[in-house]
Amino acid sequence: MKRRNLKHFSTKFVIVLLLASAVACKQNKKQEEVASETVEEVQMSTEPNFKISLAQWSMHKMIREDGVDPYTFAEKAKAWEFEGLEYVSGLYYPELEKDNFSEAAMKSFVDKSLAESKKHGLENLIIMIDGQGDLATPDEAERNAAVENHYKWVDAAAALGCHSIRVNLSGTQDPDEWTAASVDGLTKLSTYAKDKNINILVENHGGLSSNGAMLANVFKTVNMDNCGTLPDFGNFCITWGEWPECLEWYDRYKGMEEIMPYAKAVSAKSHDFDENGNEIHSDYGRMLKIVKDAGYSGYIGVEYEGSELSEEDGIIATRDLLRKLMK
């Protein structure tokens, strides 16, 4: 009788142990699942959520050669599935120059563009400014005139709801003169733009501005919150020969790493694509890693500048490549 009770007790004890073990396993599995979900949530929350914008320069041939109305920019960008707009000032100059960039002419540009962007539900981001004087000229009077020429575009950007204008640092090829003049011109323009809540952005756009280290040094010296860069994947030619020959290239990946810490916008420049849809001049995967590693999470602008594809096909090819790599 005692032996049978002992056997019965042993059996019950084993069952209890098995049940306890099963419960413990379930709890551990649940904890592991929760931990895994938490890691995934953290990874998702820290992953940049890029949106894609369209730089109007991508359709400059349509506008200048085919007679497309520049005010259809928002309509076309919407049809091509973009979310943001980056205007190019020069594409409106035939209209604006007639009235010498008068206040009325500038207001008309703003009103028409704002109405179209609202109609199609797109966000106005940047106006890219060209041909308004050299901000990096060593001639102080000319530099000050260039700064003042940009005021109307700061005002226009503010009225459109943009966050920035993009400017160029042209004026001299002497490194010391260029640095000093760039710092002075940008500081003056950024001071004016600060009260308008507009950023002054410089693109690597040829000459010494395509030297990443020198451009980064300018922003380190200016040291203003509303003064930064618009890094472009492809614009790293320092010295041009006979177009389109570049005599001196700056390493584009090194340059991107140097100027991305100051970035408030990014331009995905494209020209040509291989049979797999990859841009052949810039490794977009490598470029996007540099962008992400810099902590950037804003819009990335499509800027197609090739000639093998039509502008529409090139725009779509660039958009699709970015989408593929952002997944």
Side-chain angles (χ1 to χ4, degrees):
M1 185 70 178
K2 289 181 180 179
R3 188 176 299 171
R4 189 168 59 207
N5 288 339
L6 181 61
K7 184 177 180 182
H8 180 67
F9 174 79
S10 299
T11 302
K12 289 178 67 176
F13 182 72
V14 170
I15 292 172
V16 170
L17 284 177
L18 289 173
L19 287 172
S21 177
V23 170
C25 285
K26 286 183 178 181
Q27 289 176 336
N28 288 337
K29 186 175 181 181
K30 184 66 177 176
Q31 290 173 347
E32 289 172 358
E33 289 174 351
V34 170
S36 177
E37 290 172 358
T38 301
V39 169
E40 288 177 4
E41 288 173 359
V42 169
Q43 288 175 338
M44 289 177 67
S45 66
T46 57
E47 189 71 15
N49 184 24
F50 295 122
K51 292 181 179 181
I52 305 178
S53 52
L54 179 63
Q56 196 175 18
W57 186 251
S58 302
M59 43 186 296
H60 72 277
K61 293 177 184 176
M62 295 183 201
I63 294 170
R64 288 178 170 173
E65 298 173 13
D66 301 333
V68 170
D69 184 350
Y71 289 104
T72 62
F73 179 34
E75 177 185 357
K76 291 186 176 298
K78 181 68 173 181
W80 294 326
E81 301 176 4
F82 289 93
E83 298 177 83
L85 302 172
E86 301 176 13
Y87 298 85
V88 172
S89 67
L91 298 179
Y92 300 88
Y93 285 177
E95 171 188 325
L96 297 174
E97 287 175 340
K98 289 179 182 178
D99 292 319
N100 196 30
F101 297 96
S102 68
E103 186 175 334
M106 292 299 297
K107 185 178 185 303
S108 177
F109 159 74
V110 168
D111 290 347
K112 290 180 185 178
S113 299
L114 189 57
E116 287 299 306
S117 63
K118 286 182 176 179
K119 177 181 177 181
H120 298 286
L122 273 69
E123 187 174 359
N124 294 321
L125 303 173
I126 301 169
I127 309 176
M128 299 185 181
I129 315 302
D130 301 296
Q132 294 293 287
D134 294 337
L135 292 172
T137 176
D139 186 305
E140 185 175 11
E142 290 183 13
R143 187 167 66 250
N144 288 339
V147 169
E148 292 177 8
N149 279 343
H150 284 79
Y151 287 173
K152 59 182 174 287
W153 290 106
V154 171
D155 296 343
L160 271 174
C162 296
H163 62 70
S164 304
I165 66 168
R166 186 275 281 146
V167 303
N168 298 305
L169 289 181
S170 304
T172 178
Q173 285 295 98
D174 179 273
D176 292 335
E177 286 185 342
W178 179 84
T179 298
S182 296
V183 169
D184 181 71
L186 288 177
T187 300
K188 289 174 178 174
L189 184 54
S190 298
T191 298
Y192 175 82
K194 187 174 183 179
D195 291 338
K196 312 278 185 176
N197 294 317
I198 294 297
N199 300 308
I200 304 301
L201 308 185
V202 178
E203 182 178 353
N204 46 303
H205 214 183
L208 297 180
S209 73
S210 290
N211 182 310
M214 289 186 64
L215 188 58
N217 181 58
V218 166
F219 291 97
K220 183 179 179 181
T221 305
V222 172
N223 193 29
M224 293 182 69
D225 291 339
N226 71 321
C227 189
T229 60
L230 193 164
D232 182 291
F233 288 4
N235 284 352
F236 283 99
C237 181
I238 294 176
T239 306
W240 288 101
E242 185 175 344
W243 179 262
E245 181 188 14
C246 178
L247 301 179
E248 181 185 2
W249 282 102
Y250 193 84
D251 185 282
R252 65 186 64 201
Y253 305 105
K254 180 175 181 286
M256 284 291 292
E257 289 173 349
E258 289 167 334
I259 63 178
M260 268 307 302
Y262 305 95
K264 297 181 185 295
V266 172
S267 178
K269 175 64 61 62
S270 61
H271 289 89
D272 302 295
F273 299 85
D274 63 19
E275 63 277 7
N276 297 315
N278 294 310
E279 215 284 333
I280 65 173
H281 304 289
S282 296
D283 182 336
Y284 267 44
R286 186 175 175 184
M287 286 296 190
L288 287 176
K289 184 177 187 306
I290 293 171
V291 171
K292 290 178 182 178
D293 288 348
Y296 179 82
S297 59
Y299 275 89
I300 294 182
V302 163
E303 189 173 48
Y304 174 69
E305 203 176 42
S307 56
E308 293 299 317
L309 298 175
S310 69
E311 285 188 321
E312 181 172 358
D313 288 344
I315 288 167
I316 292 171
T318 312
R319 179 203 69 188
D320 289 348
L321 176 57
L322 287 173
R323 282 179 172 178
K324 180 178 74 174
L325 294 172
M326 287 176 183
K327 288 181 180 179

